[in-house]
Amino acid sequence: MLIKKSAKNASLPKKNASLSQKNTPLLKKNASLSKKNAPLSKKITPLPPENSSDPRLPRYLQVRDDLLQRIALRSWAADEALPSEDKLAAEYEIAVGTMRKVLDALVTDGVVDRVRGRGTFVARAAERSSMLRFVRQHGKAKNQLPTAEIRSMTSAIPPAAVAEKLKLKPRDKALYLHRTRSLDNEIVLSEHIWLPLARFRKLQKYLKSNSPPSLYPVYESECEVLVSRAIDDLTAKPLNRANASVFKLKTKTMAICVERLMLDHAGEPVEWRTSFVPAERFQYSAEVR
Amino acid sequence: MLIKKSAKNASLPKKNASLSQKNTPLLKKNASLSKKNAPLSKKITPLPPENSSDPRLPRYLQVRDDLLQRIALRSWAADEALPSEDKLAAEYEIAVGTMRKVLDALVTDGVVDRVRGRGTFVARAAERSSMLRFVRQHGKAKNQLPTAEIRSMTSAIPPAAVAEKLKLKPRDKALYLHRTRSLDNEIVLSEHIWLPLARFRKLQKYLKSNSPPSLYPVYESECEVLVSRAIDDLTAKPLNRANASVFKLKTKTMAICVERLMLDHAGEPVEWRTSFVPAERFQYSAEVR
DNA sequence: CAGTGGTCTAGACCACTCC
DNA sequence: GAGTGGTCTAGACCACTGA
């Protein structure tokens, strides 16, 4: 937010002479452009200065980082359009072409979706990051919808390894969920989920009276937490007694263990999850370029 | 290659009036631009008309598809620079900005790499698609280099399922390799590889007197086949007797089976490979956006 | 030094959505 | 019809590479 127009830019082409004096802030707060659209200022949440990115970076990266912050702070609901290219370009005092470069980069990062004629929207990672993509949907009842069951829920100080993943301070509590997912009345997934309690208090209340099929949309609607990307780590391990009993399988049956760290659009950790799929039910596809 | 400038483009801004008559081919063969750099025509391999993409598509997509074809046909060696933006833009008769859009798209698709001050180069998929990324590198001797051993090599008409994946005709032969890979003198990977014989005859000869650590670079140097991307399908299965004996493990020991279809830059299938990693040695990381 | 890709601008026209 | 994103152009200056 504190990035200035560099001297080289200020003294560039003759045409631009009138455009701006030096030391213009990156984001113009409420400038003359609101002459037509009065309440444009509504969404502009000034950020603390520590969030500024390196002023030596290209402008489009600085603007991208700033937009990313505003998205992570939920300046726009997931089904609300961001300001148009023109307006954003005017806010940041950059050319529309540069603003397009910023938005295109956010599209390829999966942060926003753009729809011609409608606008630019904050993207949701929910569907493509479903854990069910590790599960084979075999044969019969292929149209069956998956179901989910919360088997236990507590809040506690998490193990040190989990606390580290979630960047929690030593005595910060976390919400713990044990959840199973079923396909065609067969349990196919057993999940141990840890969430920073500070951001997820409302979830605890909500889950006492609701049993939603997916969690990520609830994180969004109840806790204003929008997930952006997941880092998954797969290994194969024999099931311990507790997990085996969940699947009604023998202890030491081989299973695939997926350890997932889920991040928000600002890159902050949001969830740590350890999931088990019996080896028989495991399947996964990936394309490598 | 047959795409015309559409009428709308030809009659666009006043400035462009002198630029081009209608019905200009997408790729200008050897036009006036070679006034300075005479032998520019060297690399221009005219393509059969069937390869033209839909003329209703945006120009940048048509140009991208055409470049993709030329890359797949190995018009440029992997360490040779493509013509510069300016030259390519002139060849295709599009603006440099549009040409940049094409090249940027190819970069994000992993087809080319661009280096400021040096040029644009055809990318290699070799390292990032190594099967060893599915293998855990544990403890001792972490710096040990992986080794490879070809255990058998024959040419034969492949099973129907393999022939279909490789898009072979009914009686086309394929080269079959059984290969193992070891880490620290322990076999960690057993691979069954099928290659269309037509494109890989030279490989057969080469492997009789060489034992290279990686195959993909040899595909490139011996057979002029440049791999672009892989589609991997993972499941868990118990080892059959033959595969178990390779690892010196008991039959029915659980293993991860990776089925891979490898494609070239034109999207044509190049290799089908079924690999096994003992479950104990399996590990895989992925980021989902 | 010439040549390359990287950033940025300013503006045109188009296709689409929604009122 | 007003507003949105998608395509395309034409040109400026910059940073980096290699001869």
Side-chain angles (χ1 to χ4, degrees):
Chain A
M1 299 292 273
L2 294 183
I3 302 97
K4 329 277 186 207
K5 286 207 154 184
S6 66
K8 72 172 180 213
N9 271 348
S11 65
L12 244 186
K14 301 80 206 156
K15 288 185 192 172
N16 281 7
S18 70
L19 201 151
S20 58
Q21 70 282 36
K22 286 183 182 180
N23 294 350
T24 314
L26 174 60
L27 178 59
K28 192 159 65 172
K29 297 262 169 53
N30 283 324
S32 51
L33 65 129
S34 21
K35 51 194 167 188
K36 254 184 76 175
N37 300 327
L40 187 67
S41 57
K42 172 195 164 198
K43 293 296 176 183
I44 300 179
T45 321
L47 294 170
E50 316 91 69
N51 282 327
S52 321
S53 51
D54 189 330
R56 292 165 304 182
L57 255 36
R59 305 261 301 157
Y60 83 94
L61 287 179
Q62 299 177 45
V63 172
R64 186 201 59 174
D65 290 346
D66 188 75
L67 256 185
L68 220 37
Q69 289 286 343
R70 293 166 73 185
I71 288 170
L73 291 172
R74 296 193 50 78
S75 302
W76 302 280
D79 52 357
E80 175 190 11
L82 269 59
S84 69
E85 304 176 327
D86 297 359
K87 300 210 184 71
L88 283 172
E91 281 185 40
Y92 284 108
E93 293 190 312
I94 58 178
V96 188
T98 306
M99 198 64 222
R100 286 193 64 78
K101 186 165 181 168
V102 170
L103 292 169
D104 288 345
L106 292 177
V107 167
T108 59
D109 284 353
V111 175
V112 300
D113 289 327
R114 317 191 69 190
V115 186
R116 174 163 24 185
R118 304 218 307 118
T120 303
F121 303 85
V122 177
R124 275 164 280 216
E127 298 89 49
R128 59 183 182 279
S129 63
S130 163
M131 290 298 303
L132 290 168
R133 75 204 167 89
F134 294 113
V135 176
R136 175 165 52 230
Q137 311 251 19
H138 61 192
K140 52 181 184 182
K142 222 172 183 173
N143 302 327
Q144 203 81 9
L145 283 178
T147 60
E149 185 188 349
I150 306 279
R151 305 203 141 207
S152 69
M153 173 165 59
T154 57
S155 57
I157 294 179
V162 174
E164 191 194 333
K165 296 288 183 185
L166 291 177
K167 287 195 196 165
L168 293 179
K169 299 200 183 72
R171 293 175 164 273
D172 285 349
K173 280 186 151 186
L175 181 63
Y176 167 77
L177 303 175
H178 178 214
R179 178 172 178 252
T180 55
R181 306 218 59 188
S182 302
L183 235 38
D184 197 25
N185 289 320
E186 184 190 343
I187 293 178
V188 294
L189 208 51
S190 169
E191 307 192 284
H192 304 273
I193 302 175
W194 292 90
L195 303 157
L197 190 57
R199 296 179 78 175
F200 285 92
R201 285 186 197 281
K202 286 187 179 170
L203 180 70
Q204 196 169 16
K205 281 176 202 149
Y206 179 88
L207 289 179
K208 280 174 184 160
S209 48
N210 294 277
S211 189
S214 326
L215 286 177
Y216 296 135
V218 182
Y219 294 176
E220 189 181 329
S221 61
E222 295 298 310
C223 310
E224 304 206 324
V225 172
L226 199 53
V227 301
S228 167
R229 64 185 220 272
I231 299 167
D232 289 332
D233 222 295
L234 278 66
T235 52
K237 325 185 157 162
L239 289 172
N240 64 17
R241 183 137 33 120
N243 274 310
S245 77
V246 168
F247 294 109
K248 296 182 181 122
L249 291 171
K250 274 189 287 193
T251 304
K252 297 201 178 168
T253 304
M254 198 55 85
I256 306 302
C257 171
V258 183
E259 296 179 310
R260 162 177 292 181
L261 182 64
M262 188 59 104
L263 307 171
D264 66 16
H265 283 307
E268 291 301 308
V270 162
E271 178 203 83
W272 172 259
R273 174 186 299 217
T274 305
S275 305
F276 293 89
V277 189
E280 302 290 339
R281 291 302 300 252
F282 171 72
Q283 179 163 50
Y284 177 67
S285 283
E287 180 172 347
V288 186
R289 288 176 177 276
Chain B
M1 298 290 274
L2 295 183
I3 301 96
K4 328 274 186 210
K5 287 207 151 180
S6 66
K8 71 172 184 214
N9 272 347
S11 66
L12 244 186
K14 299 81 206 157
K15 287 184 191 170
N16 282 6
S18 70
L19 201 149
S20 59
Q21 70 282 39
K22 286 181 183 181
N23 295 349
T24 313
L26 176 58
L27 177 60
K28 193 158 64 172
K29 297 258 169 53
N30 285 322
S32 52
L33 67 128
S34 23
K35 50 196 167 186
K36 254 185 77 175
N37 300 327
L40 188 67
S41 56
K42 173 197 167 198
K43 294 297 175 185
I44 299 180
T45 322
L47 294 171
E50 316 90 74
N51 281 327
S52 321
S53 51
D54 189 332
R56 292 165 302 183
L57 255 35
R59 306 258 304 155
Y60 83 96
L61 287 179
Q62 299 178 44
V63 172
R64 187 202 58 175
D65 290 346
D66 187 77
L67 255 185
L68 221 36
Q69 289 286 344
R70 294 167 71 187
I71 288 170
L73 290 171
R74 298 192 48 78
S75 302
W76 301 280
D79 52 359
E80 175 191 11
L82 269 60
S84 68
E85 305 176 328
D86 296 0
K87 299 211 185 72
L88 283 172
E91 280 186 40
Y92 283 109
E93 293 192 312
I94 58 179
V96 187
T98 306
M99 198 63 224
R100 286 193 65 77
K101 186 165 180 169
V102 170
L103 292 169
D104 287 346
L106 292 176
V107 167
T108 60
D109 284 353
V111 175
V112 301
D113 290 327
R114 316 192 71 192
V115 187
R116 166 151 45 175
R118 302 217 307 116
T120 302
F121 303 85
V122 177
R124 273 164 281 216
E127 297 90 48
R128 58 183 183 281
S129 62
S130 164
M131 290 298 303
L132 290 168
R133 74 203 167 91
F134 295 114
V135 177
R136 173 166 53 230
Q137 311 249 18
H138 62 193
K140 53 182 182 178
K142 223 172 185 174
N143 301 329
Q144 202 82 9
L145 283 178
T147 61
E149 186 188 348
I150 307 279
R151 304 202 143 208
S152 69
M153 171 164 61
T154 58
S155 56
I157 294 179
V162 174
E164 190 195 331
K165 296 288 185 186
L166 292 177
K167 287 195 197 164
L168 294 180
K169 297 200 185 72
R171 292 175 164 272
D172 285 350
K173 280 185 151 187
L175 181 63
Y176 166 78
L177 303 175
H178 179 213
R179 178 173 178 251
T180 54
R181 306 216 63 187
S182 303
L183 233 41
D184 198 24
N185 289 319
E186 184 191 345
I187 293 178
V188 293
L189 208 51
S190 169
E191 307 193 283
H192 304 274
I193 303 176
W194 292 91
L195 303 158
L197 190 56
R199 296 180 78 176
F200 285 92
R201 286 186 195 281
K202 287 188 179 170
L203 181 69
Q204 196 170 16
K205 282 176 202 147
Y206 180 88
L207 289 179
K208 280 174 182 159
S209 49
N210 294 277
S211 187
S214 326
L215 287 177
Y216 296 136
V218 181
Y219 294 176
E220 188 180 330
S221 60
E222 296 298 310
C223 311
E224 303 208 323
V225 172
L226 199 53
V227 302
S228 168
R229 63 186 219 272
I231 300 168
D232 290 333
D233 223 295
L234 279 65
T235 51
K237 320 186 162 163
L239 290 172
N240 65 16
R241 185 141 28 121
N243 275 311
S245 78
V246 168
F247 294 111
K248 298 184 180 120
L249 292 170
K250 274 188 285 191
T251 304
K252 298 203 176 169
T253 303
M254 199 54 90
I256 306 301
C257 171
V258 182
E259 296 179 312
R260 162 175 294 180
L261 182 65
M262 188 62 102
L263 307 170
D264 68 15
H265 282 308
E268 290 301 309
V270 162
E271 178 203 82
W272 173 259
R273 172 186 301 218
T274 305
S275 305
F276 294 89
V277 190
E280 302 290 340
R281 291 301 298 253
F282 171 72
Q283 179 162 49
Y284 179 66
S285 282
E287 181 171 347
V288 186
R289 289 176 177 275

